[in-house]
Short mmCIF file of all heavy atoms in Angstrom, two decimals:
data_model
loop_
_atom_site.label_atom_id
_atom_site.label_comp_id
_atom_site.label_asym_id
_atom_site.label_seq_id
_atom_site.Cartn_x
_atom_site.Cartn_y
_atom_site.Cartn_z
N PRO A 1 -4.57 16.11 1.78
CA PRO A 1 -3.22 16.74 1.90
C PRO A 1 -2.33 16.13 2.94
O PRO A 1 -1.03 16.10 2.74
CB PRO A 1 -3.64 18.20 2.29
CG PRO A 1 -5.02 18.30 1.78
CD PRO A 1 -5.58 16.98 1.90
N THR A 2 -2.84 15.52 4.00
CA THR A 2 -1.98 14.85 5.06
C THR A 2 -1.41 13.59 4.37
O THR A 2 -0.27 13.43 4.73
CB THR A 2 -2.92 14.54 6.24
OG1 THR A 2 -3.44 15.76 6.69
CG2 THR A 2 -2.04 13.93 7.30
N LEU A 3 -2.22 12.93 3.67
CA LEU A 3 -1.61 11.71 3.08
C LEU A 3 -0.47 11.97 2.04
O LEU A 3 0.51 11.28 2.05
CB LEU A 3 -2.75 10.85 2.33
CG LEU A 3 -3.78 10.26 3.18
CD1 LEU A 3 -4.92 9.77 2.38
CD2 LEU A 3 -3.18 9.22 4.09
N LYS A 4 -0.59 13.17 1.32
CA LYS A 4 0.35 13.59 0.44
C LYS A 4 1.70 14.00 1.29
O LYS A 4 2.83 13.91 0.73
CB LYS A 4 -0.10 14.74 -0.47
CG LYS A 4 -1.16 14.21 -1.41
CD LYS A 4 -2.00 15.36 -2.11
CE LYS A 4 -0.99 15.97 -3.16
NZ LYS A 4 -1.76 16.97 -3.87
N GLU A 5 1.38 14.48 2.47
CA GLU A 5 2.57 14.97 3.27
C GLU A 5 3.35 13.72 3.74
O GLU A 5 4.68 13.80 3.90
CB GLU A 5 2.02 15.69 4.55
CG GLU A 5 1.69 17.19 4.28
CD GLU A 5 1.46 17.90 5.61
OE1 GLU A 5 2.28 17.89 6.49
OE2 GLU A 5 0.29 18.34 5.78
N PHE A 6 2.69 12.64 3.98
CA PHE A 6 3.44 11.37 4.41
C PHE A 6 4.19 10.92 3.22
O PHE A 6 5.56 10.57 3.50
CB PHE A 6 2.35 10.21 4.64
CG PHE A 6 1.87 10.18 6.06
CD1 PHE A 6 0.64 10.68 6.35
CD2 PHE A 6 2.66 9.64 7.06
CE1 PHE A 6 0.21 10.62 7.64
CE2 PHE A 6 2.18 9.64 8.35
CZ PHE A 6 0.91 10.13 8.68
N ALA A 7 3.77 11.09 2.05
CA ALA A 7 4.65 10.71 0.78
C ALA A 7 5.86 11.64 0.73
O ALA A 7 6.90 11.22 0.45
CB ALA A 7 3.83 10.69 -0.48
N LYS A 8 5.67 12.95 0.87
CA LYS A 8 6.75 13.85 0.88
C LYS A 8 7.79 13.58 1.89
O LYS A 8 8.97 13.78 1.70
CB LYS A 8 6.04 15.42 0.93
CG LYS A 8 7.07 16.46 0.64
CD LYS A 8 7.52 16.42 -0.82
CE LYS A 8 8.41 17.57 -1.12
NZ LYS A 8 8.98 17.48 -2.49
N ALA A 9 7.33 13.40 3.08
CA ALA A 9 8.18 13.05 4.26
C ALA A 9 9.02 11.75 4.03
O ALA A 9 10.20 11.77 4.43
CB ALA A 9 7.43 12.93 5.47
N LEU A 10 8.45 10.95 3.35
CA LEU A 10 9.19 9.66 3.10
C LEU A 10 10.33 9.76 2.05
O LEU A 10 11.15 8.96 1.88
CB LEU A 10 8.22 8.51 2.54
CG LEU A 10 7.35 7.82 3.65
CD1 LEU A 10 6.30 6.97 2.97
CD2 LEU A 10 8.11 7.12 4.63
N GLU A 11 10.29 10.84 1.31
CA GLU A 11 11.29 11.06 0.24
C GLU A 11 12.60 11.24 0.95
O GLU A 11 13.61 10.80 0.35
CB GLU A 11 11.00 12.41 -0.56
CG GLU A 11 9.78 12.21 -1.47
CD GLU A 11 9.48 13.48 -2.29
OE1 GLU A 11 10.36 14.39 -2.19
OE2 GLU A 11 8.45 13.49 -3.06
N THR A 12 12.75 11.77 2.13
CA THR A 12 14.13 12.08 2.83
C THR A 12 14.20 11.03 3.95
O THR A 12 15.32 11.15 4.69
CB THR A 12 14.19 13.45 3.25
OG1 THR A 12 13.09 13.79 4.10
CG2 THR A 12 14.22 14.31 2.01
N ASN A 13 13.22 10.22 4.20
CA ASN A 13 13.31 9.23 5.42
C ASN A 13 14.15 8.08 5.00
O ASN A 13 14.13 7.50 3.96
CB ASN A 13 11.94 8.87 5.87
CG ASN A 13 11.93 8.10 7.14
OD1 ASN A 13 12.28 6.75 7.14
ND2 ASN A 13 11.71 8.77 8.28
N THR A 14 14.97 7.73 5.93
CA THR A 14 15.97 6.62 5.65
C THR A 14 15.69 5.39 6.67
O THR A 14 16.55 4.59 6.74
CB THR A 14 17.41 7.05 5.72
OG1 THR A 14 17.62 7.61 7.06
CG2 THR A 14 17.76 8.11 4.68
N HIS A 15 14.63 5.38 7.39
CA HIS A 15 14.39 4.29 8.36
C HIS A 15 13.05 3.53 8.13
O HIS A 15 13.05 2.36 8.47
CB HIS A 15 14.48 4.88 9.75
CG HIS A 15 15.79 5.51 10.08
ND1 HIS A 15 16.88 4.70 10.41
CD2 HIS A 15 16.10 6.76 10.17
CE1 HIS A 15 17.96 5.54 10.72
NE2 HIS A 15 17.47 6.86 10.63
N VAL A 16 12.11 4.12 7.63
CA VAL A 16 10.74 3.43 7.44
C VAL A 16 10.99 2.45 6.37
O VAL A 16 11.26 2.83 5.16
CB VAL A 16 9.63 4.46 7.09
CG1 VAL A 16 8.38 3.76 6.77
CG2 VAL A 16 9.45 5.39 8.28
N LYS A 17 10.61 1.13 6.56
CA LYS A 17 10.80 0.16 5.62
C LYS A 17 9.38 -0.38 5.09
O LYS A 17 9.33 -1.02 3.98
CB LYS A 17 11.64 -0.95 6.16
CG LYS A 17 13.06 -0.60 6.43
CD LYS A 17 13.88 -1.84 6.94
CE LYS A 17 15.31 -1.39 7.15
NZ LYS A 17 16.09 -2.58 7.62
N HIS A 18 8.32 -0.24 5.96
CA HIS A 18 7.03 -0.79 5.64
C HIS A 18 5.95 0.40 5.84
O HIS A 18 5.85 0.80 6.93
CB HIS A 18 6.77 -2.02 6.48
CG HIS A 18 7.71 -3.15 6.41
ND1 HIS A 18 7.79 -4.04 5.40
CD2 HIS A 18 8.75 -3.36 7.22
CE1 HIS A 18 8.78 -4.94 5.52
NE2 HIS A 18 9.48 -4.52 6.57
N PHE A 19 5.35 0.61 4.74
CA PHE A 19 4.29 1.65 4.86
C PHE A 19 3.03 1.16 4.36
O PHE A 19 2.90 0.62 3.14
CB PHE A 19 4.70 2.97 4.13
CG PHE A 19 3.85 4.11 4.49
CD1 PHE A 19 4.24 4.94 5.42
CD2 PHE A 19 2.68 4.40 3.79
CE1 PHE A 19 3.56 6.16 5.79
CE2 PHE A 19 1.94 5.53 4.07
CZ PHE A 19 2.33 6.43 5.05
N SER A 20 1.87 1.24 5.08
CA SER A 20 0.59 0.69 4.67
C SER A 20 -0.48 1.76 5.00
O SER A 20 -0.66 2.29 6.02
CB SER A 20 0.22 -0.53 5.47
OG SER A 20 -0.91 -1.12 5.04
N LEU A 21 -1.27 2.07 3.85
CA LEU A 21 -2.42 3.00 4.06
C LEU A 21 -3.57 2.37 3.21
O LEU A 21 -4.29 3.08 2.55
CB LEU A 21 -2.06 4.35 3.35
CG LEU A 21 -1.67 4.56 1.98
CD1 LEU A 21 -1.89 5.91 1.51
CD2 LEU A 21 -0.14 4.11 1.60
N ALA A 22 -3.90 1.18 3.65
CA ALA A 22 -5.07 0.45 3.01
C ALA A 22 -6.38 1.06 3.56
O ALA A 22 -6.41 1.45 4.81
CB ALA A 22 -5.03 -1.05 3.26
N ALA A 23 -7.44 1.25 2.77
CA ALA A 23 -8.76 1.66 3.26
C ALA A 23 -8.68 3.05 3.93
O ALA A 23 -9.18 3.21 4.95
CB ALA A 23 -9.35 0.57 4.18
N THR A 24 -7.93 4.00 3.22
CA THR A 24 -7.88 5.30 3.82
C THR A 24 -8.52 6.31 2.97
O THR A 24 -8.19 7.46 3.04
CB THR A 24 -6.33 5.66 4.16
OG1 THR A 24 -5.61 5.48 2.86
CG2 THR A 24 -5.68 4.79 5.10
N ARG A 25 -9.21 5.85 1.94
CA ARG A 25 -9.83 6.73 0.88
C ARG A 25 -8.86 7.37 0.04
O ARG A 25 -9.13 8.58 -0.39
CB ARG A 25 -10.85 7.70 1.52
CG ARG A 25 -11.93 7.03 2.36
CD ARG A 25 -12.84 8.07 2.99
NE ARG A 25 -13.83 7.36 3.88
CZ ARG A 25 -14.99 6.98 3.33
NH1 ARG A 25 -15.33 7.00 2.09
NH2 ARG A 25 -15.91 6.39 4.18
N SER A 26 -7.67 6.87 -0.09
CA SER A 26 -6.66 7.42 -0.98
C SER A 26 -7.09 7.43 -2.45
O SER A 26 -7.73 6.51 -2.83
CB SER A 26 -5.30 6.80 -0.79
OG SER A 26 -4.85 6.85 0.57
N ASN A 27 -6.71 8.45 -3.18
CA ASN A 27 -7.17 8.48 -4.57
C ASN A 27 -5.96 8.81 -5.46
O ASN A 27 -4.78 8.59 -5.10
CB ASN A 27 -8.11 9.72 -4.79
CG ASN A 27 -7.61 11.02 -4.12
OD1 ASN A 27 -6.48 11.18 -3.80
ND2 ASN A 27 -8.47 11.97 -4.01
N ASP A 28 -6.10 9.26 -6.72
CA ASP A 28 -5.02 9.37 -7.69
C ASP A 28 -3.95 10.37 -7.29
O ASP A 28 -2.81 10.07 -7.31
CB ASP A 28 -5.67 9.71 -9.05
CG ASP A 28 -6.26 8.48 -9.73
OD1 ASP A 28 -5.97 7.35 -9.29
OD2 ASP A 28 -7.11 8.69 -10.61
N PRO A 29 -4.43 11.55 -6.61
CA PRO A 29 -3.26 12.50 -6.29
C PRO A 29 -2.45 11.89 -5.18
O PRO A 29 -1.14 12.13 -5.12
CB PRO A 29 -4.09 13.67 -5.68
CG PRO A 29 -5.39 13.68 -6.55
CD PRO A 29 -5.72 12.14 -6.72
N VAL A 30 -2.97 11.07 -4.30
CA VAL A 30 -2.13 10.33 -3.28
C VAL A 30 -1.19 9.36 -4.05
O VAL A 30 -0.01 9.26 -3.68
CB VAL A 30 -3.09 9.70 -2.31
CG1 VAL A 30 -2.15 8.92 -1.31
CG2 VAL A 30 -3.86 10.82 -1.42
N ALA A 31 -1.68 8.74 -4.98
CA ALA A 31 -0.95 7.73 -5.66
C ALA A 31 0.18 8.36 -6.42
O ALA A 31 1.38 7.89 -6.47
CB ALA A 31 -1.83 6.82 -6.62
N VAL A 32 -0.12 9.51 -7.02
CA VAL A 32 0.98 10.32 -7.77
C VAL A 32 2.05 10.70 -6.78
O VAL A 32 3.22 10.77 -7.03
CB VAL A 32 0.30 11.39 -8.53
CG1 VAL A 32 1.38 12.37 -9.08
CG2 VAL A 32 -0.55 10.86 -9.61
N ALA A 33 1.57 11.15 -5.55
CA ALA A 33 2.57 11.71 -4.61
C ALA A 33 3.51 10.46 -4.18
O ALA A 33 4.69 10.67 -4.02
CB ALA A 33 1.78 12.25 -3.39
N PHE A 34 2.92 9.29 -3.99
CA PHE A 34 3.78 8.28 -3.63
C PHE A 34 4.67 7.76 -4.58
O PHE A 34 5.67 7.22 -4.43
CB PHE A 34 2.95 7.12 -2.96
CG PHE A 34 2.57 7.22 -1.61
CD1 PHE A 34 1.47 7.97 -1.11
CD2 PHE A 34 3.43 6.59 -0.62
CE1 PHE A 34 1.20 8.04 0.12
CE2 PHE A 34 3.07 6.74 0.75
CZ PHE A 34 1.84 7.49 1.19
N ALA A 35 4.18 7.90 -5.90
CA ALA A 35 4.96 7.66 -7.12
C ALA A 35 6.27 8.59 -7.08
O ALA A 35 7.33 8.03 -7.32
CB ALA A 35 4.25 7.73 -8.40
N ASP A 36 5.99 9.72 -6.89
CA ASP A 36 7.21 10.62 -6.83
C ASP A 36 8.15 10.35 -5.60
O ASP A 36 9.38 10.38 -5.80
CB ASP A 36 6.62 12.14 -6.55
CG ASP A 36 5.96 12.67 -7.70
OD1 ASP A 36 6.14 12.12 -8.83
OD2 ASP A 36 5.00 13.62 -7.55
N MET A 37 7.63 9.82 -4.55
CA MET A 37 8.51 9.39 -3.44
C MET A 37 9.24 8.11 -3.85
O MET A 37 10.51 8.10 -3.48
CB MET A 37 7.55 9.04 -2.21
CG MET A 37 8.25 8.54 -1.01
SD MET A 37 8.47 6.70 -1.03
CE MET A 37 6.78 6.17 -1.04
N LEU A 38 8.76 7.24 -4.62
CA LEU A 38 9.35 5.94 -4.90
C LEU A 38 10.56 6.25 -5.95
O LEU A 38 11.49 5.41 -6.05
CB LEU A 38 8.47 5.01 -5.54
CG LEU A 38 7.45 4.41 -4.64
CD1 LEU A 38 6.40 3.55 -5.46
CD2 LEU A 38 8.03 3.54 -3.56
N ARG A 39 10.46 7.32 -6.60
CA ARG A 39 11.68 7.78 -7.45
C ARG A 39 12.94 8.14 -6.76
O ARG A 39 14.05 7.95 -7.29
CB ARG A 39 11.23 8.78 -8.36
CG ARG A 39 10.17 8.39 -9.41
CD ARG A 39 9.99 9.53 -10.52
NE ARG A 39 9.04 9.09 -11.62
CZ ARG A 39 7.70 9.17 -11.61
NH1 ARG A 39 7.15 9.66 -10.57
NH2 ARG A 39 7.15 8.73 -12.62
N VAL A 40 12.76 8.47 -5.38
CA VAL A 40 13.93 9.06 -4.73
C VAL A 40 14.17 8.29 -3.43
O VAL A 40 15.35 8.36 -2.88
CB VAL A 40 13.66 10.55 -4.38
CG1 VAL A 40 13.69 11.44 -5.72
CG2 VAL A 40 12.48 10.78 -3.63
N ASN A 41 13.21 7.56 -3.03
CA ASN A 41 13.31 6.80 -1.70
C ASN A 41 14.16 5.50 -1.96
O ASN A 41 13.85 4.70 -2.90
CB ASN A 41 12.07 6.47 -1.10
CG ASN A 41 12.18 5.73 0.25
OD1 ASN A 41 12.50 4.57 0.28
ND2 ASN A 41 11.84 6.40 1.32
N ASN A 42 15.16 5.20 -1.13
CA ASN A 42 16.04 4.07 -1.28
C ASN A 42 15.91 3.08 0.01
O ASN A 42 16.72 2.20 0.04
CB ASN A 42 17.52 4.50 -1.58
CG ASN A 42 17.72 5.24 -2.77
OD1 ASN A 42 17.06 4.90 -3.81
ND2 ASN A 42 18.47 6.22 -2.76
N THR A 43 14.89 3.25 0.79
CA THR A 43 14.82 2.55 2.00
C THR A 43 13.47 1.63 2.01
O THR A 43 13.58 0.54 2.48
CB THR A 43 14.83 3.49 3.21
OG1 THR A 43 15.95 4.33 3.09
CG2 THR A 43 14.89 2.72 4.48
#
């Protein structure tokens, strides 16, 4: 849930340019949350 919160927070963030979560045990729900973020994030 915390990893999904990061994705949700990035939807409205306009300053973070590089985000890395390698080897964090992320799974498909996390990937889907970041996919939703990529649809609206322009930074």
Side-chain angles (χ1 to χ4, degrees):
T2 303
L3 292 172
K4 295 170 69 174
E5 281 189 57
F6 274 101
K8 189 66 177 178
L10 286 172
E11 291 182 3
T12 56
N13 186 280
T14 58
H15 297 288
V16 175
K17 296 182 178 180
H18 305 274
F19 194 92
S20 182
L21 63 159
T24 55
R25 302 181 183 273
S26 297
N27 53 12
D28 285 339
V30 176
V32 171
F34 275 86
D36 294 338
M37 176 271 298
L38 290 174
R39 288 187 174 91
V40 296
N41 183 284
N42 297 319
T43 306

